[in-house]
Amino acid sequence: MSNHTQELLEESRQGEATLLNAITASGNRKLYLESYGCQMNFSDSEIVASILSEAGYDTTKNLYESDVVLLNTCAIRENAEQRVRQRLKDFQGLKKSNPRLVVGVLGCMAERLKEKFLEEEKLVDLVAGPDAYRALPDLIAEVETGQKAMNVLLSLEETYADINPVRMGSNGVSAFISIMRGCDNMCSFCVVPFTRGRERSRDPESIVKEAQELFDNGFREVTLLGQNVDSYLFYGGGPKKDFKQLSEEEKGRAVNFAGLLAKVAAVSPLLRVRFTTSNPGDMTDEVLETMAAWPNICKYIHLPVQSGNSDVLHRMNRGYDRPTYMNRIAAIRRIMPDCAISTDIITGFCGETEEEHKDTLSLMQEVGYDYAYMFQYSERPRTLAARKFKDDVAQEEKNRRLKEIIQIQSEWSLKRNQEVLGQTVEVLVEGVSKKSEEDLFGRTSQYKVVVFPKEQFKPGDYVQVKVHDCTSATLLGKALTS
Ligand code: 5AD
Ligand code: SF4
């Protein structure tokens, strides 16, 4: 993966960025695929590329040579949707000069807007929701007969387990593996349960096989993806069930998230294992103990808190309060003192008072996150919050609160990086630094970016680096001579 791509992926965790994915091959028709939003969308795009490659499409990064343009979209916040609308407008000229061009919208925004997309956004020929990607070749064929095509059916079973993703824009070192789909949590602000449907877990054997193949192809890091990985439970396929609901036979073969982590970690001690996203209400000590037991499971947890106030958390329907969240933080610190922690925070949620906002600030000081993704609340149609509460925190107030949150976080990010000064850390090299050809960059187990002089090292190497300097975003060091 290029530095630029890495940077975009980084941003994409915030649900905002664009990635132009591509590899060009010969012959065949050309597919231009652009992804927005979370890592799950980027992972889905690799599945889409695989399905369409079977149907005779090669991906291209040259928009102007493409026969089919697909945007894999995000609906998490209003501004994510606006970016897609703008992008569709950009395509207007293209469509005029090439009337045979097929333009399609995939992902969460497609699922949310359904036929409205075809009716209102005249530029779109095709709409496919997150569980409909196997139908894409047929949908494109339908468009080519002069019709508009749509499939937004959500599934209780689809996990794309048998699809071998095309690793687009890959750095050849780290890859995503999607382990589950959908979400059953119904946090009141969140549109995901409506756009990605019910939660279902993927067969662990297919996950381990994918990890093994990646390792055999030189990859050294996999990130297991799910909206709520802690509730992963495979009992033979189908929609989510609690362990208690399983039959004796299902219990016998059931694999939970801790079990899955251990299976993937066993592929090789040289394969780093990461995962996202954890849910504070579901994260068990068993998962933490499994992380502690396997040196190759990275010591980094993204544990979204959203708010530091229990009443706000209740309105958000998060299923935990502040003390429960802090209990999970204490468990992480107890079981893995060297574990880095990051979070997501929403500011200005419905009815949030100044006092409640201050509780978020105090929680941030109490935890001292290594990193945080911070957002202003954006009302999403159909969600519980949109139906039940007023989006009543004034825009200037949201701006001010967000600024305060960002300020505290940048202080902590710097402080957490300064703690590493003078230490020697193991870095998995991902590529060449964006600032200098002479430097490489990679990450520590704690997900911290480290930049150091290249010497004889290359992507995929594990290097012991002594850290001598840092900013709030990056550690600077030098490889130890062995
Ligand atoms: N407004 C603002 N932020 C949101 N998120 C999810 N829904 C919304 C919303 N309606 C944030 C949450 C979540 C992250 C992926 O996006 O913090 O953890
Ligand atoms: Fe949305 Fe909550 Fe599910 Fe995350 S856990 S996807 S915030 S509903």
Side-chain angles (χ1 to χ4, degrees):
M1 198 184 295
S2 71
N3 278 345
H4 182 59
T5 309
Q6 183 61 36
E7 202 177 289
L8 286 168
L9 267 181
E10 204 45 57
E11 279 180 40
S12 78
R13 299 193 51 141
Q14 303 173 38
E16 308 287 347
T18 311
L19 175 65
L20 308 184
N21 285 317
I23 22 169
T24 312
S26 58
N28 287 349
R29 306 191 63 207
K30 299 273 188 274
L31 162 70
Y32 177 89
L33 184 51
E34 204 168 277
S35 304
Y36 294 76
C38 64
Q39 289 163 325
M40 189 65 94
N41 255 13
F42 285 76
S43 170
D44 279 2
S45 289
E46 299 184 335
I47 287 168
V48 167
S50 173
I51 290 168
L52 286 173
S53 127
E54 293 284 308
Y57 287 86
D58 291 331
T59 47
T60 174
K61 41 176 142 188
N62 183 355
L63 181 58
Y64 299 95
E65 68 167 16
S66 59
D67 302 293
V68 176
V69 175
L70 298 177
L71 296 193
N72 196 355
T73 62
C74 171
I76 199 111
R77 282 171 291 276
E78 175 65 28
N79 54 5
E81 293 202 357
Q82 271 159 8
R83 293 177 78 173
V84 169
R85 289 211 160 87
Q86 187 49 50
R87 195 67 181 133
L88 286 171
K89 285 191 192 122
D90 294 345
F91 294 155
Q92 209 152 15
L94 264 185
K95 191 98 167 133
K96 276 197 188 117
S97 60
N98 176 10
R100 292 173 54 96
L101 183 72
V102 177
V103 177
V105 176
L106 317 178
C108 289
M109 210 176 153
E111 191 64 49
R112 192 177 87 68
L113 292 166
K114 302 189 171 72
E115 63 277 358
K116 270 201 208 139
F117 240 126
L118 297 177
E119 288 156 13
E120 289 170 18
E121 322 280 331
K122 295 274 184 268
L123 287 168
V124 177
D125 306 301
L126 178 162
V127 174
D131 289 341
Y133 298 149
R134 285 180 204 269
L136 278 170
D138 291 343
L139 293 171
I140 294 172
E142 214 175 307
V143 172
E144 283 168 344
T145 66
Q147 302 164 61
K148 301 266 175 192
M150 181 172 83
N151 185 335
V152 287
L153 290 177
L154 287 172
S155 160
L156 294 177
E157 265 123 37
E158 180 64 272
T159 60
Y160 300 111
D162 57 315
I163 308 259
N164 203 359
V166 173
R167 304 290 169 185
M168 293 179 301
S170 165
N171 59 3
V173 177
S174 44
F176 299 126
I177 301 183
S178 162
I179 63 163
M180 57 207 294
R181 300 184 70 81
C183 185
D184 283 356
N185 276 16
M186 297 301 271
C187 299
S188 64
F189 52 78
C190 188
V191 78
V192 168
F194 303 96
T195 61
R196 288 191 163 269
R198 300 303 299 270
E199 184 180 309
R200 66 223 96 123
S201 295
R202 175 179 167 190
D203 182 346
E205 296 316 317
S206 76
I207 297 169
V208 171
K209 184 164 162 267
E210 193 171 327
Q212 180 71 56
E213 282 169 8
L214 284 164
F215 184 74
D216 294 343
N217 285 319
F219 284 79
R220 290 294 173 264
E221 181 176 273
V222 293
T223 302
L224 309 181
L225 293 181
Q227 305 295 342
N228 177 2
V229 291
D230 298 296
S231 79
Y232 176 90
L233 184 66
F234 186 83
Y235 60 93
K240 179 181 167 177
K241 282 190 195 170
D242 284 338
F243 190 75
K244 314 190 272 297
Q245 295 173 296
L246 302 183
S247 68
E248 285 312 308
E249 196 214 336
E250 285 170 340
K251 277 185 184 159
R253 61 164 183 257
V255 177
N256 66 8
F257 185 55
L260 178 72
L261 270 180
K263 277 178 190 282
V264 178
V267 165
S268 166
L270 289 177
L271 182 71
R272 276 187 175 178
V273 183
R274 300 188 181 280
F275 55 86
T276 198
T277 300
S278 302
N279 190 300
D282 296 318
M283 194 180 68
T284 60
D285 283 4
E286 190 193 0
V287 165
L288 301 178
E289 276 149 14
T290 307
M291 290 177 74
W294 292 85
N296 58 327
I297 304 184
C298 291
K299 304 300 177 277
Y300 169 69
I301 297 182
H302 181 62
L303 196 66
V305 65
Q306 314 297 1
S307 165
N309 176 275
S310 294
D311 291 337
V312 175
L313 289 170
H314 184 71
R315 293 203 293 282
M316 288 178 165
N317 199 28
R318 286 289 288 176
Y320 57 85
D321 55 11
R322 179 174 175 142
T324 315
Y325 184 88
M326 290 310 296
N327 166 291
R328 294 295 76 205
I329 296 289
I332 298 171
R333 302 272 191 236
R334 184 178 72 243
I335 297 168
M336 286 175 293
D338 59 340
C339 191
I341 305 175
S342 63
T343 200
D344 289 343
I345 293 172
I346 297 178
T347 190
F349 184 65
C350 310
E352 185 187 70
T353 64
E354 186 58 24
E355 287 310 304
E356 290 169 341
H357 163 64
K358 291 227 163 74
D359 283 343
T360 297
L361 302 184
S362 78
L363 181 131
M364 292 177 78
Q365 297 289 21
E366 236 180 279
V367 178
Y369 292 108
D370 292 80
Y371 197 78
Y373 302 89
M374 299 154 283
F375 313 103
Q376 294 185 3
Y377 172 60
S378 161
E379 185 176 274
R380 307 312 292 131
R382 288 180 73 199
T383 55
L384 283 174
R387 282 184 274 149
K388 259 171 69 180
F389 306 123
K390 259 184 98 170
D391 179 12
D392 55 359
V393 177
Q395 187 55 51
E396 319 78 84
E397 215 22 59
K398 284 185 184 170
N399 294 345
R400 198 210 84 226
R401 291 180 191 178
L402 183 63
K403 236 165 110 187
E404 289 180 8
I405 285 171
I406 291 172
Q407 177 59 34
I408 291 185
Q409 187 50 46
S410 24
E411 287 164 20
W412 270 107
S413 296
L414 180 62
K415 226 187 296 192
R416 289 299 187 202
N417 276 356
Q418 283 169 340
E419 287 169 5
V420 190
L421 291 180
Q423 289 182 22
T424 299
V425 292
E426 185 175 75
V427 176
L428 172 60
V429 180
E430 292 183 24
V432 177
S433 158
K434 59 181 172 247
K435 293 222 175 101
S436 161
E437 284 282 310
E438 297 309 306
D439 291 335
L440 293 174
F441 88 98
R443 285 178 196 272
T444 66
S445 172
Q446 286 75 13
Y447 206 59
K448 292 183 187 292
V449 174
V450 185
V451 172
F452 64 99
K454 188 192 285 179
E455 299 179 53
Q456 75 280 21
F457 301 106
K458 58 181 188 320
D461 286 349
Y462 284 102
V463 184
Q464 298 296 322
V465 177
K466 181 147 191 203
V467 177
H468 58 68
D469 210 349
C470 74
T471 65
S472 62
T474 313
L475 302 174
L476 300 175
K478 179 157 183 347
L480 288 189
T481 39
S482 46

